[in-house]
């Protein structure tokens, strides 16, 4: 039996998970149709006709009246892509200038590497501290922000808030953003009640059932099962196995996904289109 507030939280969590997995299902099916394993694509590949173009719509920088964990992730992704842009447009060009004996001393740009290291650094970056607090049974939003403030007070990109123990400000390349960390641990854990998962797995809708029988990778990608019976057996075994590892947190999935994106972009020849409003 759930109390009203718990029932509302479960409802919201289920809606969010259903939306995310449905989106992943659409992407997985599109990728399957476009993959080299598709018979038509295999034929074209054998004729040497396979070429790919990746289009990345860069995250828009977000700064609202109230900014939370979602805005923090989006703005961090923007910072990572901005560094990639800086490296290819400025740093590599300046290296080319040096090789050709051209003076590029008057070409300057903001290096946001210190901010990225503050967020993504190991072993103690901001997201690592968030995960540490998320894994502690006694961890709270207050203790999470306390640990972050203790670690990064004095960092040029970090501004602690004196009168609120759940708020701090980050100096991004695009400007200062104040983040409200209320519910940040719950959002990072992103857990769904086991009885709701089981309910969805036994849904009469084949699509809904398959969505919750499938596993989610460490980058947050939905890995669709081809064999439904195999999925049922594996998930039943998983339920009975008390030694199973916890699902990766949202920040872990986000970091892995961001690292994979940068890896793929680095292996390509990037062309940038800047929109002027």
């Amino acid at each position: 039996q759930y109390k009203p507030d718990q029932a509302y939280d479960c409802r919201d969590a289920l809606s969010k998970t259903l939306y995310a997995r449905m989106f992943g299902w659409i992407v997985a099916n599109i990728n399957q149709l476009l993959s080299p394993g598709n018979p038509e694509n295999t034929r074209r590949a054998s004729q040497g006709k396979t070429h790919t173009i990746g289009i990345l719509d860069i995250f828009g920088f977000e700064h609202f009246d109230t900014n939370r964990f979602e805005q923090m992730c989006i703005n961090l992704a923007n910072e990572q892509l901005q560094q990639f842009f800086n490296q290819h447009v400025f740093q590599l060009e300046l290296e080319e200038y040096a090789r050709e004996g051209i003076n590029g001393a008057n070409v300057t740009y903001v290096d946001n590497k210190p901010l990225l290291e503050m967020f993504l650094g190991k072993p103690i970056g901001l997201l690592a501290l968030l995960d540490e607090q998320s894994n502690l049974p006694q961890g709270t939003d207050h203790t999470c922000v306390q640990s972050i403030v203790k670690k990064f007070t004095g960092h040029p990109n970090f501004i602690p808030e004196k009168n609120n123990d759940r708020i701090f400000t980050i100096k991004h390349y695009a400007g200062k953003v104040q983040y409200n960390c209320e519910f940040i641990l719950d959002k990072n854990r992103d857990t769904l009640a086991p009885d709701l998962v089981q309910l969805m797995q036994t849904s009469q809708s084949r699509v809904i059932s398959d969505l919750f029988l499938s596993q989610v990778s460490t980058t947050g990608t939905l890995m669709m099962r081809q064999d439904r019976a195999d999925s049922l057996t594996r998930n039943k075994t998983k339920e009975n196995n008390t030694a199973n590892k916890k699902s990766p947190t949202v920040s872990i999935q986000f970091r892995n996904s961001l690292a994979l994106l940068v890896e793929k972009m680095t292996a390509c020849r990037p062309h940038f289109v800047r929109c002027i409003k």
Side-chain angles (χ1 to χ4, degrees):
Q1 294 290 331
Y2 289 107
K3 295 179 180 179
D5 289 345
Q6 294 173 324
Y8 293 147
D9 290 341
C10 287
R11 176 201 61 191
D12 294 344
L14 179 59
S15 299
K16 176 178 175 294
T17 302
L18 184 59
Y19 179 90
R21 294 205 173 204
M22 195 70 233
F23 184 85
W25 179 87
I26 293 172
V27 172
N29 278 275
I30 292 174
N31 287 340
Q32 185 177 15
L33 289 172
L34 298 177
S35 70
N38 183 287
E40 175 61 20
N41 292 335
T42 300
R43 182 185 65 79
R44 292 175 61 83
S46 65
Q47 299 172 357
K49 298 180 180 179
T50 298
H51 302 283
T52 60
I53 297 176
I55 300 177
L56 174 65
D57 184 7
I58 293 180
F59 295 84
F61 192 84
E62 293 193 352
H63 187 186
F64 303 136
D65 292 337
T66 301
N67 304 283
R68 300 187 184 276
F69 182 48
E70 296 85 352
Q71 283 69 50
M72 188 185 299
C73 291
I74 289 171
N75 291 342
L76 176 56
N78 199 290
E79 290 279 3
Q80 183 73 76
L81 295 174
Q82 180 66 24
Q83 188 199 44
F84 183 82
F85 175 82
N86 287 343
Q87 183 181 19
H88 284 79
V89 174
F90 295 109
Q91 185 175 328
L92 296 181
E93 283 298 315
L94 288 174
E95 292 175 0
E96 184 69 22
Y97 281 10
R99 285 193 293 269
E100 296 183 7
I102 301 174
N103 183 7
N106 61 334
V107 179
T108 60
Y109 62 95
V110 177
D111 184 6
N112 62 347
K113 186 176 180 180
L115 183 142
L116 290 173
E117 290 179 344
M118 180 183 73
F119 270 99
L120 305 172
K122 296 179 180 179
I124 309 179
L126 193 151
L127 294 185
L129 289 174
L130 172 58
D131 282 335
E132 181 182 79
Q133 289 293 318
S134 297
N135 291 326
L136 293 175
Q138 69 274 25
T140 65
D141 298 334
H142 172 70
T143 59
C144 179
V145 174
Q146 274 189 323
S147 65
I148 292 172
V149 169
K150 181 179 179 180
K151 173 63 181 178
F152 294 110
T153 293
H155 191 285
N157 295 99
F158 185 86
I159 304 174
E161 180 67 33
K162 295 181 179 179
N163 301 320
N164 193 314
D165 61 358
R166 286 181 174 83
I167 290 177
F168 57 77
T169 298
I170 299 294
K171 292 182 181 178
H172 290 281
Y173 79 92
K176 296 179 182 178
V177 180
Q178 185 182 77
Y179 293 105
N180 187 319
C181 295
E182 188 177 14
F183 307 122
I184 192 170
L185 293 190
D186 288 338
K187 291 180 177 181
N188 190 44
R189 291 168 181 148
D190 196 31
T191 53
L192 193 62
D195 56 342
L196 290 180
V197 175
Q198 186 177 9
L199 178 65
M200 294 297 102
Q201 289 175 346
T202 56
S203 171
Q204 293 182 357
S205 168
R206 176 67 182 265
V207 173
I208 299 299
S209 177
D210 286 348
L211 290 179
F212 285 84
L213 286 169
S214 301
Q215 301 299 312
V216 177
S217 72
T218 55
T219 60
T221 303
L222 187 68
M223 300 182 294
M224 297 299 296
R225 296 285 189 186
Q226 299 299 321
D227 188 337
R228 183 179 174 84
D230 179 63
S231 295
L232 286 166
T233 302
R234 286 174 180 268
N235 280 277
K236 190 64 178 177
T237 301
K238 186 176 181 180
E239 288 178 14
N240 296 329
N241 182 6
T242 57
N244 263 293
K245 295 181 179 179
K246 293 181 179 179
S247 299
T249 62
V250 171
S251 67
I252 288 178
Q253 294 178 15
F254 176 77
R255 277 178 285 173
N256 291 340
S257 179
L258 192 58
L260 182 61
L261 173 62
V262 173
E263 180 183 333
K264 289 182 176 180
M265 291 193 302
T266 303
C268 299
R269 296 176 58 187
H271 299 271
F272 301 94
V273 178
R274 280 290 191 179
C275 297
I276 301 176
K277 295 183 180 181

